[in-house]
Amino acid sequence: MAKTMMEHMRKGEGFIAALDQSGGSTPKALRLYGITEDAYSNETEMYDLIHAMRARIIKSSAFTGDKVVGAILFEQTMDRDIDGIPTATYLWEKRGVVPFLKIDKGLEEEKNGCQMLKAMPTLDALLERAAEAGIFGTKERSVISAADPMGIASVVAQQFEIGEQVLGAGMVPILEPEVTISIADKIDAEAMLRDALLAGLETVSSPVMLKLSLPTIDNFYLPLVEHPNVIKVVALSGGYARNDANAILARNKGMIASFSRALTEGLTAQMTDAEFDAALGEAIDSIYRASIAG
């Protein structure tokens, strides 16, 4: 199965859907979906509602492996079912979509203009559960908010260290050192990041994936796209509206989308199934076109 998933990731056209909002971002995701805080009274009810939203997306006729090659899940989504089938199994067997898992537990306080990943002492156990659940790969997000050489070097070193742990568990890591799109020195930060990633890629034991903010200069990350130790370079929308994110992505050769808010923009719980499928289909089509344009 893993070999088939790898082939799908390498050769399949399309993008990766980021369906991995966690505790801190779930209330906002639900509000945008038309569900306010008074609709739930505890975390369990909140996660039930966000899972229902994700299940509705995954079950939509518009959501298939022809245009959506992968989907990133939150841990509680992996642990839940869709129509009595474990979510990761449903994604692959029913939709032809490769399942990934968000493994990070949030961010440390900013230091040297960057936020490192919080410690993950139970990561080995989580990776074991993920492998048993049929998860193909993982994703961990850290944040770069300044062109600080020391901060960026630390972020990248940690990403590769965790990536090796994931590779050792038999899965493919998506390394995600996100550059904040609003910072004044974004170009400089991207240059430092690219150099650090290229150096790290020379040391990895197996190929990895990268998830990066859309670059200021078109095709700036092409050396990463073309590196033999990179399976895919995917782009996060980073706060851009869908149309803006798609326009930038389309100008970057070899990068594909891994959008979250830009994918679900405009979807609401109050839509009929026909309205929901039409709106999701339009979003998927637009992101797919941008992903293959390069």
Side-chain angles (χ1 to χ4, degrees), residues 205-280:
S205 58
S206 295
V208 300
M209 298 173 63
L210 302 174
K211 183 168 179 176
L212 307 173
S213 303
L214 290 161
T216 307
I217 300 170
D218 294 346
N219 294 311
F220 189 74
Y221 291 132
L222 194 57
L224 299 172
V225 172
E226 295 176 341
H227 197 285
N229 283 334
V230 173
I231 297 165
K232 288 281 188 193
V233 177
V234 305
L236 57 101
S237 53
Y240 289 115
R242 183 193 303 145
N243 288 343
D244 294 334
N246 283 341
I248 300 168
L249 178 64
R251 301 195 301 266
N252 282 275
K253 181 180 179 182
M255 292 184 77
I256 66 171
S258 178
F259 293 169
S260 174
R261 287 186 300 271
L263 172 64
T264 58
E265 185 181 304
L267 299 179
T268 67
Q270 292 74 28
M271 287 176 163
T272 66
D273 287 344
E275 291 169 339
F276 185 90
D277 289 347
L280 179 61

Side-chain angles (χ1 to χ4, degrees), residues 4-293:
T4 308
M5 289 184 183
M6 177 66 83
E7 185 175 355
H8 190 57
M9 285 309 307
R10 285 191 181 277
K11 298 180 180 179
E13 290 191 334
F15 67 95
I16 296 176
L19 305 177
D20 60 327
Q21 296 95 346
S22 55
S25 57
T26 299
K28 181 179 179 181
L30 284 172
R31 283 196 302 275
L32 292 171
Y33 185 54
I35 297 176
T36 54
E37 282 88 340
D38 58 6
Y40 50 90
S41 56
N42 54 53
E43 270 200 353
T44 300
E45 292 178 1
M46 178 182 76
Y47 285 127
D48 285 343
L49 288 167
I50 198 71
H51 183 67
M53 169 189 168
R54 291 165 178 156
R56 192 180 189 190
I57 290 170
I58 291 167
K59 289 173 65 177
S60 171
S61 58
F63 194 92
T64 71
D66 293 337
K67 294 179 180 177
V68 184
V69 292
I72 304 170
L73 306 176
F74 175 48
E75 184 179 345
Q76 288 206 27
T77 310
M78 177 187 75
D79 291 337
R80 295 178 186 229
D81 295 345
I82 297 177
D83 292 347
I85 301 170
T87 303
T89 303
Y90 191 99
L91 272 170
W92 180 241
E93 294 186 357
K94 300 294 185 182
R95 313 312 288 158
V97 175
V98 176
F100 291 81
L101 176 68
K102 166 188 158 69
I103 58 171
D104 64 80
K105 301 301 181 184
L107 300 167
E108 297 281 6
E109 292 296 316
E110 186 174 301
K111 182 180 179 181
N112 296 322
C114 297
Q115 288 176 275
M116 304 274 284
L117 299 163
K118 287 183 177 178
M120 294 181 276
T122 60
L123 180 57
D124 284 334
L126 176 59
L127 294 176
E128 186 176 343
R129 282 202 299 117
E132 290 173 356
I135 295 290
F136 170 77
T138 64
K139 188 212 79 163
E140 66 269 4
R141 169 184 171 266
S142 42
V143 173
I144 296 168
S145 295
D148 185 291
M150 187 177 296
I152 291 172
S154 298
V155 160
V156 171
Q158 185 187 43
Q159 285 281 339
F160 277 105
E161 180 183 353
I162 294 169
E164 285 294 343
Q165 196 171 348
V166 173
L167 289 168
M171 286 171 283
V172 173
I174 301 176
L175 313 184
E176 185 184 8
E178 175 183 348
V179 176
T180 304
I181 64 171
S182 59
I183 60 175
D185 52 359
K186 181 169 179 276
I187 291 177
D188 294 332
E190 288 167 341
M192 294 176 189
L193 175 61
R194 186 181 68 177
D195 290 347
L197 289 171
L198 286 169
L201 288 168
E202 296 304 314
T203 70
V204 292
S205 58
S206 295
V208 300
M209 298 173 63
L210 302 174
K211 183 168 179 176
L212 307 173
S213 303
L214 290 161
T216 307
I217 300 170
D218 294 346
N219 294 311
F220 189 74
Y221 291 132
L222 194 57
L224 299 172
V225 172
E226 295 176 341
H227 197 285
N229 283 334
V230 173
I231 297 165
K232 288 281 188 193
V233 177
V234 305
L236 57 101
S237 53
Y240 289 115
R242 183 193 303 145
N243 288 343
D244 294 334
N246 283 341
I248 300 168
L249 178 64
R251 301 195 301 266
N252 282 275
K253 181 180 179 182
M255 292 184 77
I256 66 171
S258 178
F259 293 169
S260 174
R261 287 186 300 271
L263 172 64
T264 58
E265 185 181 304
L267 299 179
T268 67
Q270 292 74 28
M271 287 176 163
T272 66
D273 287 344
E275 291 169 339
F276 185 90
D277 289 347
L280 179 61
E282 184 178 337
I284 287 173
D285 286 347
S286 70
I287 297 169
Y288 171 78
R289 287 193 299 269
S291 293
I292 66 172

